[in-house]
Amino acid sequence: MAISWPLVVSLLLSISSLATSASNSDSVHEAFVQCLLDNSHPSHPISEAIFTPQSPSYATVLQSYIRNLRFNETYTPKPFLILTALHQSHIQAAIICAKKGNIQMKIRSGGHDYDGLSYVATVPFFVLDMFNLRSIDIDMETETVWVQSGAILGELYYRISALSKTHGFPAGVCPTVGVGGHLTGGGYGNMMRKYGLTVDNIVDAYFIDVNGRIHDRKSMGEDLFWAIRGGGAASFGVVLAYKIKLVHVPEIVTVFRVEKTLEDNATDIVDQWQHVASKLPKELFVRLVIDVVNSSTRTGGSTVRVSFISLFLGDSKTLVSIMNENLPLLGLSQSDCIETSWIRSVLFWTNIAIDSPTDVLLNRTPSLSYLKRKSDYVKQPIPKTALEGIWEK
Ligand SMILES: Cc1cc2nc3c(=O)[nH]c(=O)nc-3n(C[C@H](O)[C@H](O)[C@H](O)COP(=O)(O)OP(=O)(O)OC[C@H]3O[C@@H](n4cnc5c(N)ncnc54)[C@H](O)[C@@H]3O)c2cc1C
Ligand SMILES: *[C@@H]1O[C@H](CO)[C@@H](O)[C@H](O)[C@H]1NC(C)=O
Ligand SMILES: *[C@@H]1O[C@H](CO)[C@@H](O)[C@H](O)[C@H]1NC(C)=O
Ligand SMILES: *[C@@H]1O[C@H](CO)[C@@H](O)[C@H](O)[C@H]1NC(C)=O
């Protein structure tokens, strides 16, 4: 077999340049680890928080907070190091050393980022993992809570409900979402009509800036405090904790889930819903989820199903009368409604049996899928003909 000379040369060249870059990056990584060790305090040793691909539990630690199977592939770029911070000084060390070595740092709290931004990068990177920092300090006197970034929404809701039946917090409906990413990015939930977005209910924060300095709201200033409530705090530094304001919920709330298919005139009901949803009392939230199911009437055929899922901060009698006045086509009846506590409404909304022990909300590991999500906003009702076009798709 004849191999042309230029090809051999270019192969050799690329092999040797690979070897050089590998040893370069090895020394960069070693210097980074050394920097972490040099910058940690003897009373809070950092070595037990460092995981490299050579550590036996590296893969487990990395996968623990991957929440999208698209990024659990062998070809998904992996961090050269994971730092599972045990103390704020570890975060300070991570920032100082990343800056010194000009190394990309990814901050991960609950790992629910739709595109894996908290644990994937296209350049060499390490992950600052926040899950160990998840204390929740509730002060019923002032109705405020200091919650660390590594907490998940479920444990926040659970801790609140353990102290009060009439307090809640307006954040997302998925209990395994992390406080860190959720509170830096906005936060939609089923109480937002009454209480606004999650970020509207943040009153203070501990934030570590690019120089490793810890700030509260006063020392960071109002501009930065504004930016880390919706702007994606990772662009500015690391949020250690947020101080949030609790909201009042009645001891009894009402939930329902009513499903209608095209054969039940779902299109007309969706049309009516679009015209009234924004005008309902603020205590009432009605969400639609639309999917495709087998038709019970058309053999072998499929149909569109619209599920109307609701939370009402009040009793079922009032709810039925509001619904029949505003959305009569749905035909809501008392028997569709479940009166329960706010914390059990959280279970209901996440499809957990409503009579389950509420400490299931402490469970940090959801079942995973491959997902890609994108949001859009409509400012006018979608006409019925357009809805029918969507059903066709
Ligand atoms: C199944 C599922 C259900 C969801 N349900 C809702 C919902 O009901 N309502 C809603 O509003 N959203 C919902 N979301 C979106 C979710 O709120 C965001 O993806 C949120 O950013 C996730 O936060 P996290 O801490 O879990 O994610 P992560 O992936 O850990 O972080 C997300 C982003 O925030 C950055 N970040 C994380 N922690 C910090 C920190 N301490 N300091 C600075 N930056 C940080 C990360 O670097 C990354 O860029 C859902 C997402 C999923 C996957
Ligand atoms: C993620 O990938 C690893 C390695 O292939 C695998 O062992 C693990 O089960 C995967 N996680 C999930 C939740 O599928
Ligand atoms: C659907 O609407 C038509 C026309 O308004 C009506 O005759 C029919 O009874 C409705 N079907 C259901 C299941 O409500
Ligand atoms: C729908 O029907 C198909 C066959 O027509 C079947 O394979 C499938 O399991 C059904 N799905 C559900 C959710 O019943």
Side-chain angles (χ1 to χ4, degrees), residues 57-341:
S57 47
Y58 168 86
T60 319
V61 173
L62 177 63
Q63 285 159 26
S64 296
Y65 290 91
I66 291 180
R67 292 291 177 257
N68 188 341
L69 291 179
R70 283 168 63 218
F71 304 109
N72 189 45
E73 301 288 347
T74 45
Y75 53 77
T76 307
K78 307 282 189 296
F80 71 84
L81 182 146
I82 305 169
L83 184 69
T84 59
L86 296 158
H87 185 259
Q88 62 196 39
S89 61
H90 298 171
I91 304 174
Q92 293 171 300
I95 294 174
I96 289 163
C97 298
K99 199 176 163 190
K100 192 172 165 203
N102 194 23
I103 293 169
Q104 175 79 240
M105 174 171 96
K106 288 285 167 177
I107 312 161
R108 181 165 74 169
S109 288
H112 279 63
D113 189 276
Y114 292 135
D115 286 293
L117 294 186
S118 54
Y119 56 88
V120 181
T122 52
V123 295
F125 69 106
F126 73 99
V127 169
L128 171 66
D129 233 333
M130 299 292 288
F131 65 89
N132 284 317
L133 299 170
R134 56 185 198 231
S135 70
I136 297 175
D137 295 317
I138 305 181
D139 180 10
M140 268 333 223
E141 204 108 301
T142 55
E143 302 181 307
T144 56
V145 183
W146 272 108
V147 55
Q148 284 188 319
S149 290
I152 57 171
L153 295 181
E155 66 194 333
L156 174 61
Y157 298 157
Y158 176 80
R159 300 281 171 226
I160 295 168
S161 74
L163 290 185
S164 165
K165 304 273 168 273
T166 54
H167 287 83
F169 186 63
V173 299
C174 173
T176 53
V177 161
V179 162
H182 192 69
L183 272 66
T184 66
Y188 294 120
N190 54 20
M191 295 199 287
M192 69 178 168
R193 302 197 64 241
K194 188 169 174 71
Y195 292 117
L197 295 176
T198 307
V199 293
D200 295 321
N201 296 279
I202 299 174
V203 292
D204 204 339
Y206 288 131
F207 177 78
I208 308 185
D209 73 11
V210 68
N211 297 312
R213 287 199 202 96
I214 302 187
H215 296 278
D216 64 4
R217 177 174 182 168
K218 193 153 179 259
S219 74
M220 80 178 80
E222 287 302 303
D223 278 355
L224 185 54
F225 184 62
W226 176 82
I228 63 168
R229 289 174 297 155
S235 314
F236 309 102
V238 179
V239 176
L240 188 55
Y242 281 107
K243 186 183 186 184
I244 57 173
K245 186 120 191 68
L246 295 177
V247 301
H248 292 250
V249 295
E251 217 165 317
I252 296 293
V253 304
T254 308
V255 292
F256 69 75
R257 179 189 190 98
V258 173
E259 294 170 355
K260 298 287 182 187
T261 63
L262 295 184
E263 292 70 37
D264 304 322
N265 291 342
T267 310
D268 293 338
I269 314 173
V270 171
D271 181 60
Q272 189 166 63
W273 174 84
Q274 289 192 94
H275 287 88
V276 302
S278 66
K279 302 181 188 98
L280 296 170
K282 300 276 183 245
E283 288 71 28
L284 175 56
F285 183 77
V286 184
R287 177 200 229 186
L288 303 193
V289 175
I290 300 168
D291 60 359
V292 175
V293 293
N294 286 342
S295 168
S296 54
T297 50
R298 282 182 283 165
T299 37
S302 55
T303 186
V304 170
R305 173 176 67 181
V306 182
S307 304
F308 295 80
I309 307 154
S310 177
L311 171 69
F312 178 56
L313 301 172
D315 62 38
S316 59
K317 201 159 166 270
T318 315
L319 174 59
V320 170
S321 101
I322 293 171
M323 289 296 291
N324 288 336
E325 191 176 312
N326 293 278
L327 190 55
L329 288 181
L330 188 63
L332 188 77
S333 71
Q334 192 87 23
S335 62
D336 296 318
C337 300
I338 303 169
E339 290 190 338
T340 188
S341 59

